[in-house]
Amino acid sequence: MPKSTIVPIGPYHPLQEEPEFFRLHVEGETVVDMDMRISYNHRGIEQLSTKRTFDQVPFVVERVCGICSASHPLAYVQAVEEIAQVQVPDRALYLRTIVNELERLHSHLLWVGLAGHFLGYNTVFMWAWKYREPVLDLLELVTGSRVNYANVKVGGVRRDIPNEQKAPILRTLDELEPKVQMLTHAVLDDVLLHLRVKNVGILPHQAAVDYCVTGPTARASGVAIDVRRDDPYAAYDRVDWQVITAEEGDVFAKTKVRLLECLESIRIIRQCVQQMPDGPIEQEVRQIPRGEAVGHVEAPRGETFHYVRAEGGNCPSRHKIRAPSFVNIPSFRVSCIGQQLADVTITLASVDPCYSCTERLAVAVDANTGEWRYSFDDLVRLSQAKTERLRREA
Amino acid sequence: MTVDEMHQAAAEQPLAARIRAGLKERVAAMRQTRPNRLFVEVGPASILEVGALLFRQMGARLATISGVDLRDAVEINYHFAFDREACVVTVKTRVPKPDPHIESLAPMIAGANWIEREINDLIGCRFEHHPGLERLILADTWPAGVHPLSREFAAGSSSPSGV
């Protein structure tokens, strides 16, 4: 019987913001099984939310995740607005769209940079994060903050975009677009990257359906779902844009989907800024009646899903939050098993797992002795070394 | 087709009719709160038929499941997203306390595995024939039978000592 080794990744690691624990069972260099533990840092936000008034909850749930801090509150307020049957003014719908697409843009660029680093492409890391800066500047201009925007509220948004801000926003987009195009081509046309991440970490179409994955993880496996199109909210049904999909399901396909989505986001923001109608930015909401509703939003990592129940009081009586990584991470069992250890880092990174939403980590362990063999640092080094080897051979 | 036309087409709700035709007398109640939101109430014994119809036959995606502690029962809401039909169908069922339990959807839908474990941890509903109903959210040192999102827990106690 072949000797199997367990490689533990996590639960705490300096490269990861938060804890999560993967145990990879390996034979030689091949992953033969894996299991995961999460919730080392559970913050009890669902319970906390039931102790806050309906208009305080957006500030709580935007802290579910620093990166999805526009998506979570929007999913929540959409559920509450449905319970209270609020008609949100048109201008607010456009303003919500702008902030949510800026969020996607900065999140995807952040991911591209990190993925570059994991593969030993530190130039990609530097470029992507440099281009992300003006996006964060725009978020600061529009909402007053680079993270935790505190912008959306039940009935509308808290802050308007004055007309004199439109020109600087459009100028920044015009400067950013060619750079993102250049980055997209540089990454997608790189022969070495094709060797490195094509056919790596494949999530087949049927597995994507069975695991109910969402977002770029689903779209890169040919599951053409996107809440923005399938159940339109905000102003997504009033602007022209495309759902990006790929069929292969590998790491390259996920990279392609995210990079092309960056360009779609720029298109969406530009149209919203140009077409935004004048008018009020909020509808006053006096009371939330008894009722229940679901709200879902296409966050950068996929659908974030909120269920809100009201009993007629000031606070939700139940608030269920399902972040996209909660459904995407279990699919690692399909995409990692059978992989070489050097490919696991990028495969795990390819769903852009968000630990604060779901919680996370990884280590490799000897299946016979239970001994820890690799830290996450070691895995990143292993991943970078493989790229280097392919580069020399190419 | 414009979005308004899409909403109108959905309002004629072929989806609701198809679900009623598939589940027949198992449907205890059905309400369409707006064209793209449908709530269906069923008894807990029908949940495998619901999964087979909505997920297997009709191609819905299980977005998530939410558990609500209602003191004398636990309400389990299965949120199925029909992405092509632009509708979220919430299938509601109630399992009585004490000892709330229901058949697991995880053997049929891999995506139900984690959320059922989460509900088992936090609210204390057992999912029968789950492939591995181990702890997901609660720490290994957390005392057995204490469920932090249940009414009994929320009613008073702070977290058990030593955790």
Side-chain angles (χ1 to χ4, degrees):
Chain A
M1 189 189 152
K3 193 173 164 157
S4 156
T5 302
I6 299 176
V7 182
I9 307 180
Y12 293 96
H13 188 274
L15 246 180
Q16 307 276 39
E17 312 84 276
E18 286 148 287
E20 188 161 66
F21 188 53
F22 298 111
R23 285 157 55 99
L24 309 175
H25 299 248
V26 296
E27 282 176 14
E29 288 279 305
T30 308
V31 178
V32 292
D33 196 7
M34 77 181 294
D35 46 57
M36 294 165 263
R37 263 321 278 276
I38 60 163
S39 196
Y40 292 89
N41 212 2
H42 196 272
R43 291 164 295 164
I45 285 183
E46 289 179 14
Q47 173 71 4
L48 183 62
S49 176
T50 61
K51 307 286 181 219
R52 295 290 179 277
T53 61
F54 282 102
D55 49 358
Q56 289 173 328
V57 173
F59 305 113
V60 176
V61 296
E62 74 178 3
R63 282 158 178 79
V64 168
C65 172
I67 288 183
C68 300
S69 57
S71 302
H72 282 290
L74 184 55
Y76 161 80
V77 301
Q78 285 177 358
V80 176
E81 283 160 0
E82 186 174 324
I83 295 173
Q85 302 199 321
V86 179
Q87 190 70 40
V88 180
D90 278 357
R91 188 175 176 85
L93 296 178
Y94 281 84
L95 290 165
R96 287 175 176 184
T97 313
I98 291 169
V99 174
N100 277 267
E101 285 313 300
L102 285 170
E103 173 174 278
R104 185 177 330 278
L105 200 49
H106 101 73
S107 176
H108 281 3
L109 287 171
L110 182 142
W111 179 83
V112 170
L114 277 181
H117 168 69
F118 289 154
L119 293 170
Y121 270 70
N122 283 321
T123 312
V124 170
F125 171 74
M126 295 292 182
W127 281 359
W129 282 46
K130 182 179 162 190
Y131 303 149
R132 179 173 169 260
E133 275 306 303
V135 181
L136 293 175
D137 291 342
L138 282 186
L139 279 165
E140 186 175 0
L141 179 76
V142 171
T143 68
S145 180
R146 287 160 60 98
V147 286
N148 292 350
Y149 319 110
N151 195 48
V152 66
K153 64 184 285 186
V154 177
V157 295
R158 296 179 67 231
R159 192 164 158 148
D160 200 358
I161 295 181
N163 279 334
E164 59 270 24
Q165 275 182 6
K166 286 184 175 177
I169 295 172
L170 292 170
R171 195 164 55 238
T172 307
L173 293 176
D174 288 344
E175 287 164 7
L176 184 64
E177 193 170 29
K179 290 174 186 164
V180 174
Q181 272 165 345
M182 186 273 292
L183 178 69
T184 304
H185 288 304
V187 170
L188 298 185
D189 295 345
D190 188 298
V191 180
L192 189 62
L193 267 184
H194 286 214
L195 284 171
R196 183 68 186 81
V197 293
K198 275 197 172 173
N199 291 316
V200 165
I202 296 174
L203 182 66
H205 181 274
Q206 189 55 45
V209 171
D210 289 341
Y211 278 85
C212 304
V213 298
T214 66
T217 307
R219 291 194 285 277
S221 294
V223 180
I225 54 172
D226 191 318
V227 185
R228 294 175 291 172
R229 177 199 62 190
D230 300 334
D231 187 8
Y233 57 93
Y236 287 108
D237 51 354
R238 304 171 193 203
V239 289
D240 182 29
W241 62 283
Q242 279 186 338
V243 174
I244 306 288
T245 57
E247 297 300 321
E248 302 82 11
D250 55 10
V251 175
F252 189 79
K254 295 187 178 83
T255 310
K256 186 165 79 182
V257 166
R258 288 203 182 86
L259 279 166
L260 295 176
E261 281 185 5
C262 287
L263 296 167
E264 293 301 316
S265 291
I266 293 175
R267 280 178 70 195
I268 295 172
I269 301 165
R270 185 181 281 131
Q271 293 174 67
C272 285
V273 171
Q274 287 165 342
Q275 298 169 12
M276 196 162 47
D278 291 329
I281 59 164
E282 61 169 303
Q283 167 71 44
E284 193 185 9
V285 181
R286 289 230 167 245
Q287 205 176 1
I288 311 298
R290 182 181 280 269
E292 63 179 339
V294 299
H296 58 163
V297 158
E298 188 72 22
R301 287 162 188 72
E303 176 201 50
T304 178
F305 193 99
H306 287 230
Y307 167 77
V308 181
R309 191 175 175 116
E311 305 283 359
N314 290 331
C315 311
S317 67
R318 177 80 173 99
H319 182 185
K320 168 76 197 129
I321 303 166
R322 199 273 288 140
S325 296
F326 192 87
V327 286
N328 289 342
I329 288 178
S331 71
F332 286 153
R333 274 192 68 79
V334 178
S335 55
C336 286
I337 292 174
Q339 295 284 301
Q340 298 294 298
L341 205 47
D343 292 334
V344 165
T345 317
I346 192 63
T347 303
L348 295 183
S350 72
V351 313
D352 199 1
C354 181
Y355 303 137
S356 71
C357 301
T358 312
E359 293 166 340
R360 66 180 158 194
L361 180 122
V363 199
V365 191
D366 194 300
N368 287 334
T369 65
E371 190 187 336
W372 287 27
R373 301 297 289 268
Y374 298 87
S375 70
F376 194 79
D377 269 342
D378 297 333
L379 289 172
V380 171
R381 269 197 292 277
L382 211 54
S383 168
Q384 294 180 343
K386 180 170 177 184
T387 311
E388 193 52 47
R389 182 167 55 76
L390 288 170
R391 183 179 284 138
R392 281 198 305 272
E393 288 168 1
Chain B
M1 194 190 268
T2 69
V3 170
D4 283 340
E5 283 164 354
M6 275 167 63
H7 284 173
Q8 204 168 356
E12 286 151 17
Q13 40 114 6
L15 197 60
R18 278 160 65 202
I19 290 172
R20 197 185 281 280
L23 293 175
K24 298 191 181 76
E25 72 285 356
R26 294 183 194 88
V27 176
M30 196 180 254
R31 70 197 146 90
Q32 188 116 27
T33 53
R34 64 181 171 101
N36 33 15
R37 294 289 183 273
L38 179 67
F39 290 83
V40 182
E41 284 174 36
V42 301
S46 312
I47 201 61
L48 287 181
E49 282 117 329
V50 168
L53 178 74
L54 272 64
F55 180 78
R56 283 243 182 94
Q57 280 185 42
M58 298 175 77
R61 173 172 62 83
L62 180 64
T64 197
I65 309 172
S66 53
V68 186
D69 190 333
L70 302 173
R71 266 179 242 284
D72 55 344
V74 173
E75 185 178 277
I76 310 282
N77 299 309
Y78 297 82
H79 306 285
F80 288 94
F82 284 79
D83 296 305
R84 281 185 299 273
E85 292 89 348
C87 191
V88 177
V89 177
T90 298
V91 178
K92 304 168 72 69
T93 189
R94 284 184 186 196
V95 290
K97 296 213 289 190
D99 190 31
H101 61 278
I102 189 165
E103 204 60 32
S104 168
L105 285 184
M108 186 192 312
I109 310 172
N113 189 313
W114 274 24
I115 185 61
E116 291 187 346
R117 287 167 66 188
E118 181 186 295
I119 294 171
N120 181 49
D121 275 5
L122 296 183
I123 296 179
C125 176
R126 206 171 69 250
F127 289 87
E128 307 281 0
H129 304 107
H130 188 287
L133 200 61
E134 293 125 29
R135 283 190 175 177
L136 181 73
I137 302 293
L138 296 180
D140 293 334
T141 50
W142 187 272
V146 180
H147 305 290
L149 268 187
S150 65
R151 294 270 185 171
E152 292 79 9
F153 184 81
S157 49
S158 55
S159 69
S161 59
V163 177

